Amino acid sequence: MNYFSSDFKLGILGGGQLGKMLLFDTRKFDIQTYVLDPSDEAPSKIACNQFFKGDLMDYETVYNFGKQVDVLTFEIELVNLEALTQLENEGLKIYPSPKTLKGIQNKGVQKDFYAQHNIPTAPFARFENLENLKSAIVNQHSTINLPFVWKCTEFGYDGNGVKVIRQTSDLDNLPNVECIAETMIPFKNELAVIVCRNPSGEIKTYPVVEMEFHPEANQVEYVICPARIDEKVAQKARAIALNVSEKFNHVGLLAVEMFQTHDDEILVNEVAPRPHNSGHYSIEASYTSQFENHLRAILDLPLGNTDSKVAGIMVNLVGAEGFSGEVIYENIETILGWNGVTPHIYGKKQTRPFRKMGHVTIVNEDMAEARRIAEEVKNTIRVISKK
Amino acid sequence: MNYFSSDFKLGILGGGQLGKMLLFDTRKFDIQTYVLDPSDEAPSKIACNQFFKGDLMDYETVYNFGKQVDVLTFEIELVNLEALTQLENEGLKIYPSPKTLKGIQNKGVQKDFYAQHNIPTAPFARFENLENLKSAIVNQHSTINLPFVWKCTEFGYDGNGVKVIRQTSDLDNLPNVECIAETMIPFKNELAVIVCRNPSGEIKTYPVVEMEFHPEANQVEYVICPARIDEKVAQKARAIALNVSEKFNHVGLLAVEMFQTHDDEILVNEVAPRPHNSGHYSIEASYTSQFENHLRAILDLPLGNTDSKVAGIMVNLVGAEGFSGEVIYENIETILGWNGVTPHIYGKKQTRPFRKMGHVTIVNEDMAEARRIAEEVKNTIRVISKK
């Protein structure tokens, strides 16, 4: 198959920032892209060859889009699975496969999958709806002890649909949907490993990254590569991530989020079958970015080197509280003056509190120096709006 | 001035591969771009915000384009200088300035400039036309001795308009245009230094790169960063490049091509006031690519770190002899399997012998290993056409 400057068409479901960054590499290789997204202001709109506006959850829309391309991928899990399944049955190459996505889209199914394949994960129980969960607690159902973590199984995103339940009253006002109750695991570190795998079975992992949380606010502040952990633990985490990818028979990128417990046990939290926030550092720090490797993987090309050239840290740029409207990146000129600092602006014209507007990567030969600069970046740039 | 996700418009004259690579960074920063190019198939067409088809040498076309943007730059020197001068007189920010371009566009003027500012360069004589040069030789004009290098002063490109004259008959069939006769300098190395400078006067140089030539064919095969030369010579080359940039009062990128003579003298050959082929390695090897630094410079933002993370070598992908038509990148899948190899496909659908179709960057911690892989790349990939 000739992909380069040819008539080949890659379809991408979703035109957000992940798609936008993927397009840097389709452009670099001059591979034609069709993008489907519901928004006229999708960050991917400009750099693709053909942009289609439409609902990613609508069967007809996704099906008709898929019929126009040679290979189909997605940058978001919330897409119409039935349409993908039908397209795959009709012979379209879809990576990751809808079969894989089906095992991931629903967190209950995903957790069952780990249990069935002896992949270490936190103990949990599934419930058809909130009422069943409540009665299970009332009836002292053995597997559930307070405190626990409530997660709705579908359509949760960026922390939505997750809540720590310390007393039964915390369940009040939660939606009455399918959910799981997961044992709360005290952990030392939250880690992630990105795996890439192509249809021929070539498979590679990126180094383990570490999510550093704000001491008070329970919010990731820095994604740090490589994680500042023991090499044995890192090897174990990469081995588990490889195993998860192979068990899913996954093609493309799989981001595996994990907990490192206090006794250095590794538990899989959840996975994302696409380029991931925890891999953004790779654009500047790695020999091959996660986006280029996703592209190589789904086109069954050889995978690129996942090693790092230098230490990398990523800081998310989210809308500051109390600001809504036309975005301003306060002090961006200041941070541009610092060594190894690269802002990525996703192209959303309007900011809202906590909206993901971009990220900043800090690279340096010396991790401690990168960490110092990252903290200055975090404390200097602000995503606000025009007064 | 707020550039990021704002109404600010950057105009770029020329939509070729240099413009295309510059657009990766305007997209990364979400800076709006307008591009003017004569071709409907310009590599920059897709990723800019607005594409305009038009003649870059036409006064009206360039003037009207310039009136629509806030800052104007160019990726090719062959643009209508009068229109730029008028736009600048009317207050438009144009970087590099038409005043600078004027001193560079004509090689005779450029050589005079070096002479006036005591910038070391090969001895030369200027002639209004070929006839004057011929009669100067006939009349034994003292400054011209065979062999010498004939260069037409305008519209020369990629070796066009340059010829080594060993006997007077070599002048036959050359165009009767303004030209210079330059003393042939035997040299050890051909070097280049890219300088970036912003309007505030912040100035930085990239490391010295070395053009390695094919032993027989007089053709650059590899651009190697850093150049494998003595550190003292490298420092001298960077100092001379800095001086050239400051004397031109240049803003943006200035690529300074130089000869290293056998007694380690540095002579300036010529300059290009734009991103340059000799800086393509920087996308993968440098902390800040030449394209991002061009953008930072013309927007008067702080300049990024020009140091390298790893050794970088660039191999040009030019159309193979005997092939014309729809392009095929033979064995590109093979080289993608090698460590640190990144092809850049410019997006030209049709190949022709020697047409610049793309380049490949090879990066590695170890220069010798990068050089070994670069040679394999050179011997493996071929730019051919469908049979």
Side-chain angles (χ1 to χ4, degrees), chain A residues 106 197 274 283 330 340 367:
Chain A
N106 178 299
R197 183 168 177 276
R274 51 169 172 78
I283 296 173
E330 187 181 58
M367 171 60 83

Side-chain angles (χ1 to χ4, degrees), chain A residues 13-15 18 37 56 74-79 101 157 274:
Chain A
L13 295 168
L18 299 175
D37 191 87
L56 297 168
F74 48 85
E75 57 120 50
I76 177 169
E77 295 94 319
L78 302 178
V79 294
L101 183 56
Y157 217 73
R274 51 169 172 78

Side-chain angles (χ1 to χ4, degrees), chain B residues 79-355:
Chain B
V79 295
N80 188 290
L81 195 53
E82 294 65 34
L84 294 189
T85 306
Q86 178 59 28
L87 287 163
E88 190 175 59
N89 292 342
E90 293 177 19
L92 181 64
K93 288 181 179 172
I94 305 177
Y95 300 120
S97 163
K99 298 185 192 70
T100 308
L101 183 56
K102 196 169 181 191
I104 292 172
Q105 231 180 17
N106 178 300
K107 284 182 183 172
V109 176
Q110 194 185 136
K111 291 285 286 189
D112 283 341
F113 185 88
Y114 300 142
Q116 289 152 20
H117 293 86
N118 303 317
I119 293 161
T121 191
F124 69 101
R126 272 179 85 172
F127 299 94
E128 258 178 49
N129 52 50
L130 192 65
E131 292 315 313
N132 294 13
L133 168 56
K134 283 179 177 170
S135 56
I137 296 168
V138 174
N139 307 335
Q140 299 286 315
H141 189 304
S142 60
T143 64
I144 313 165
N145 307 307
L146 294 164
F148 65 84
V149 182
W150 169 89
K151 294 179 178 175
C152 70
T153 56
E154 287 183 335
F155 310 120
Y157 217 74
D158 290 338
N160 293 329
V162 177
K163 188 178 181 188
V164 174
I165 308 300
R166 303 189 182 282
Q167 60 239 359
T168 46
S169 62
D170 293 338
L171 290 167
D172 303 345
N173 310 322
L174 287 179
N176 187 27
V177 296
E178 187 192 5
C179 59
I180 58 175
E182 191 175 85
T183 305
M184 259 186 87
I185 305 291
F187 55 83
K188 241 196 278 188
N189 285 306
E190 203 162 333
L191 309 173
V193 172
I194 290 175
V195 187
C196 49
R197 183 168 176 277
N198 68 20
S200 302
E202 185 184 7
I203 187 165
K204 289 185 178 182
T205 63
Y206 278 87
V208 183
V209 301
E210 161 195 358
M211 277 65 138
E212 185 179 336
F213 282 70
H214 185 284
E216 290 87 45
N218 180 37
Q219 181 196 30
V220 178
E221 282 200 295
Y222 309 103
V223 173
I224 298 173
C225 181
R228 298 160 297 180
I229 57 173
D230 180 84
E231 178 53 28
K232 278 206 182 62
V233 177
Q235 284 172 11
K236 191 199 288 183
R238 289 175 90 153
I240 288 171
L242 274 175
N243 183 35
V244 172
S245 171
E246 280 170 340
K247 288 291 192 307
F248 272 120
N249 191 29
H250 182 273
V251 168
L253 290 187
L254 189 73
V256 183
E257 297 184 65
M258 297 171 283
F259 300 118
Q260 175 188 5
T261 66
H262 290 288
D263 53 6
D264 289 340
E265 203 186 345
I266 297 291
L267 299 177
V268 173
N269 178 22
E270 59 179 50
V271 299
R274 51 169 171 79
H276 193 257
N277 189 265
S278 65
H280 289 348
Y281 78 90
S282 65
I283 296 173
E284 286 79 17
S286 306
Y287 280 92
T288 314
S289 80
Q290 67 168 342
F291 298 99
E292 181 175 334
N293 261 333
H294 180 72
L295 189 61
R296 287 171 174 240
I298 63 178
L299 299 181
D300 205 13
L301 294 166
L303 302 177
N305 183 353
T306 55
D307 295 343
S308 293
K309 301 167 188 167
V310 285
I313 300 184
M314 189 215 56
V315 175
N316 283 313
L317 290 180
V318 300
E321 282 187 86
F323 294 91
S324 292
E326 285 179 51
V327 65
I328 303 243
Y329 295 89
E330 187 180 59
N331 299 324
I332 189 167
E333 295 81 1
T334 309
I335 68 168
L336 279 167
W338 299 340
N339 187 12
V341 172
T342 306
H344 289 254
I345 305 302
Y346 296 158
K348 303 168 185 177
K349 305 292 177 228
Q350 302 286 317
T351 183
R352 293 190 301 271
F354 307 111
R355 187 179 191 193

Side-chain angles (χ1 to χ4, degrees), chain A residues 324-339:
Chain A
S324 293
E326 285 180 52
V327 65
I328 302 230
Y329 295 91
E330 187 181 58
N331 300 325
I332 189 169
E333 294 80 2
T334 308
I335 69 167
L336 279 166
W338 299 341
N339 187 11

